[in-house]
Amino acid sequence: VDAINAYSTNEPNVLKLRDIQYNIIAPINYRIDFYSDVLFTTEEELRAHPERIEAMRRATLKGWHYAMDHQEEIIDLLINKYHVEASRDHLEFEAAEMRKLILPDLVEIGHMNPMRWQHMADTFVHAGLAKPDYSLEGFIYDPEPKRIPVWVVPVLIAALIVLAIITLVTYYLYRLNRRLSNTQDHLEESEKRLQLALAAANQGWFDLDIRTGEAAISKECAGILGLDPEARHNTLNKWKDNIHADDREATMAAFQRCLDNGGPVTMEYRRHIPDRGWTWIRSVGQITEWGPAHQPLRMIGIHTDISEQKMVALELERQARTDHLTGVSNRGYFMELAEHELRRSVRYGTPLTVFMMDIDFFKQINDRYGHKVGDTVLKKLTEVCLDELREVDIIGRMGGEEFAIILPETVISEGAEVAERLRKTIANTAIPMEAGLPLHCTVSIGVTALSSMDDNIDVLLNLADKALYEAKNSGRNSVCISG
């Protein structure tokens, strides 16, 4: 025959043993980069037996991990127990080729790239095999769906209850104030109740005359906004002053929406307050009086200091995205940033360089000096990288002593220079020890670059990883460029 359908893990070895010359036509070289041999189930099975689904997946992955880590043992099992017809040499060839495809040291076994599924689906649509209005929502099984901490739900429920109570009290007092506007005694009593409710919730009220820009504010409101606590009358411009530049446009747009439709409208923004710095504020406003031609005349609302809640949310988000030891991006967040940067490079046609970096003989460092020293080496390495790289560059710890780096808008020649400078700096860096002379370590770096608009991040990391292993095989403490 002129051509046959073959597996790269099987037929090439058979042809080689028979001394038959051959040429491989690989689909991936023609933009056909599809998943195959996929483990799947039905939504009905997942709903009815989630524990069985997880157990099946866990057992399958455990088997693959064991097979990758104990190849000789598995080959013995195939020969002695299952009596396969293939020779040991052929099984060793198959195992080596399979490892190149799986890349268990680089890509987590079982990981599926959503962008690759998107590419597969778009290809089927283009070929007329699928409808263009498809959705991949929920298509990939998530063994660990993100769960909020157990304390968040009770706190949110309590906060909603308090907010509902405050809203009802505020509304009640407002209506009471309107009905008793001609009776000064009742008006003062309503104001006291409103102040008491807002003070209990650490909120402050304002009453803005839109025509003049003058506002009556409570003492609590003045404290929240960093204004004179004794002042009871302020202006709209004083409120606008010192809003963070990044929040000003969205805040003013929300304010305008309130003027246009009456609200209520909620705004969250940072405001610079003396002695407190940038403070997160939540403002809720509503138009209560209209003039001719639907012209807004009066707005009332509340201000709340939400800095503490924001800090908690930001810290939880940071912890979810950061490697706890080195402080750089963890694998998951790095892949997210890398996908975003790759899409940007493809969209605007800008260059992109990718590194894979590995500490040489790191296991020997751990074995000789202990894991505490190993952790110190990892942290020092990331400090050097952050000092040498630009702010726009992206670095992530992929696991163990392996790191990946993205250099946006950088051609491969410039990236190679950066890699070489980084290698030399690390090699010349002394890592202090609690006892004895300082420790030195070296790194091997593999470099590649975006060369095709169809490349995905998995392909680029694979190419950089192959170059990394070339650097290690050539004696370590070196930089190798893919291709």
Side-chain angles (χ1 to χ4, degrees):
V1 296
D2 293 320
I4 60 172
N5 180 34
Y7 289 92
S8 62
T9 58
N10 185 47
E11 277 79 2
N13 188 53
V14 175
L15 295 174
K16 182 178 179 181
L17 291 176
R18 297 182 181 182
D19 199 23
I20 299 175
Q21 299 296 319
Y22 63 88
N23 178 48
I24 295 178
I25 302 175
I28 193 172
N29 295 331
Y30 298 88
R31 303 180 184 177
I32 303 176
D33 186 13
F34 286 10
Y35 284 119
S36 181
D37 301 331
V38 180
L39 191 65
F40 68 92
T41 186
T42 64
E43 292 184 355
E44 180 181 359
E45 173 72 9
L46 181 59
R47 285 193 298 268
H49 305 287
E51 68 290 339
R52 186 160 68 193
I53 296 295
E54 174 57 23
M56 177 65 182
R57 178 182 180 276
R58 186 169 58 250
T60 303
L61 293 179
K62 182 178 180 181
W64 273 107
H65 278 290
Y66 192 87
M68 290 293 99
D69 294 338
H70 304 81
Q71 291 185 3
E72 291 298 326
E73 179 183 338
I74 297 302
I75 290 174
D76 291 338
L77 183 69
L78 292 172
I79 294 174
N80 298 326
K81 182 176 180 178
Y82 295 103
H83 308 294
V84 297
E85 296 180 359
S87 67
R88 173 174 288 275
D89 288 340
H90 184 85
L91 292 175
E92 289 176 349
F93 172 84
E94 185 176 14
E97 291 301 312
M98 190 175 296
R99 189 174 187 89
K100 293 178 183 178
L101 296 174
I102 296 177
L103 296 173
D105 297 327
L106 176 63
V107 179
E108 183 179 358
I109 293 179
H111 167 74
M112 289 191 292
N113 189 333
M115 295 297 294
R116 187 177 295 181
W117 280 109
Q118 184 86 38
H119 171 65
M120 291 168 61
D122 291 341
T123 302
F124 286 132
V125 170
H126 183 72
L129 300 176
K131 295 181 180 179
D133 56 344
Y134 68 86
S135 173
L136 297 180
E137 182 70 26
F139 180 72
I140 299 178
Y141 171 69
D142 187 357
E144 297 180 354
K146 297 179 180 178
R147 297 181 175 88
I148 59 176
V150 295
W151 57 266
V152 171
V153 173
V155 170
L156 287 177
I157 293 175
L160 289 174
I161 293 174
V162 171
L163 182 60
I165 293 173
I166 292 173
T167 302
L168 291 173
V169 170
T170 304
Y171 180 73
Y172 166 77
L173 295 178
Y174 167 71
R175 292 296 301 271
L176 181 63
N177 178 53
R178 295 289 291 174
R179 288 198 301 267
L180 302 178
S181 59
N182 295 328
T183 307
Q184 186 65 28
D185 291 341
H186 288 178
L187 181 60
E188 292 178 356
E189 183 66 23
S190 297
E191 184 177 353
K192 290 179 181 179
R193 293 179 181 177
L194 178 60
Q195 289 176 343
L196 180 61
L198 295 178
N202 193 27
Q203 297 177 326
W205 59 263
F206 69 88
D207 190 339
L208 172 66
D209 187 331
I210 299 173
R211 292 165 296 186
T212 63
E214 293 184 352
I217 63 175
S218 67
K219 183 177 181 180
E220 294 77 13
C221 183
I224 291 170
L225 297 179
L227 302 175
D228 182 2
E230 301 300 325
R232 292 304 183 91
H233 290 81
N234 287 273
T235 65
L236 180 60
N237 288 333
K238 285 185 178 180
W239 169 71
K240 293 179 180 179
D241 289 344
N242 300 321
I243 293 178
H244 196 287
D246 293 343
D247 304 331
R248 183 178 298 277
E249 182 177 354
T251 304
M252 292 301 101
F255 181 79
Q256 186 60 48
R257 286 199 304 274
C258 187
L259 296 180
D260 293 341
N261 58 40
V265 171
T266 300
M267 298 159 272
E268 291 187 359
Y269 53 90
R270 287 162 289 181
R271 177 182 174 84
H272 191 270
I273 298 175
D275 301 326
R276 285 159 52 192
W278 291 108
T279 303
W280 276 99
I281 305 293
R282 178 186 292 123
S283 298
V284 181
Q286 180 172 2
I287 302 299
T288 59
E289 188 174 344
W290 299 90
H294 201 65
Q295 178 185 4
L297 303 177
R298 184 165 173 254
M299 177 191 294
I300 67 168
I302 56 175
H303 292 301
T304 310
D305 185 340
I306 59 171
S307 298
E308 185 174 347
Q309 299 95 305
K310 279 287 184 180
M311 292 304 102
V312 171
L314 291 174
E315 177 60 21
L316 290 174
E317 182 178 354
R318 186 196 68 80
Q319 292 178 7
R321 295 178 169 183
T322 304
D323 176 61
H324 72 282
L325 177 62
T326 62
V328 299
S329 298
N330 57 25
R331 175 196 288 267
Y333 189 45
F334 173 84
M335 296 297 289
E336 180 181 334
L337 294 176
E339 292 282 5
H340 174 78
E341 198 59 47
L342 177 61
R343 288 195 298 270
R344 192 179 71 86
S345 294
V346 171
R347 183 183 306 117
Y348 297 108
T350 57
L352 183 76
T353 297
V354 179
F355 292 176
M356 286 298 296
M357 180 174 66
D358 189 273
I359 302 175
D360 298 328
F361 304 111
F362 186 71
K363 185 177 184 301
Q364 296 181 15
I365 295 175
N366 276 333
D367 292 343
R368 180 175 180 181
Y369 300 102
H371 289 281
K372 183 177 180 181
V373 172
D375 290 347
T376 301
V377 171
L378 289 171
K379 289 189 283 189
K380 189 64 178 180
L381 173 70
T382 55
E383 290 177 9
V384 172
C385 290
L386 292 174
D387 288 340
E388 290 292 325
L389 298 174
R390 305 168 299 179
E391 289 188 5
V392 296
D393 298 331
I394 304 168
I395 178 171
R397 184 182 179 194
M398 305 302 283
E401 69 275 21
E402 195 167 46
F403 294 82
I405 299 173
I406 301 289
L407 303 182
E409 300 186 11
T410 304
V411 297
I412 194 167
S413 59
E414 296 171 340
E417 294 176 1
V418 174
E420 181 61 25
R421 185 174 69 248
L422 192 60
R423 180 197 66 78
K424 290 181 179 179
T425 302
I426 292 173
N428 294 327
T429 297
I431 303 172
M433 303 279 286
E434 293 183 357
L437 296 174
L439 177 67
H440 287 79
C441 69
T442 62
V443 295
S444 298
I445 303 176
V447 182
T448 191
L450 177 65
S451 59
S452 168
M453 296 301 100
D454 294 314
D455 285 345
N456 59 50
I457 197 62
D458 288 340
V459 170
L460 293 176
L461 289 175
N462 183 14
L463 293 173
D465 192 62
K466 289 180 179 179
L468 168 64
Y469 277 93
E470 290 181 15
K472 285 188 171 295
N473 292 333
S474 63
R476 293 181 169 84
N477 190 22
S478 62
V479 175
C480 279
I481 301 175
S482 173

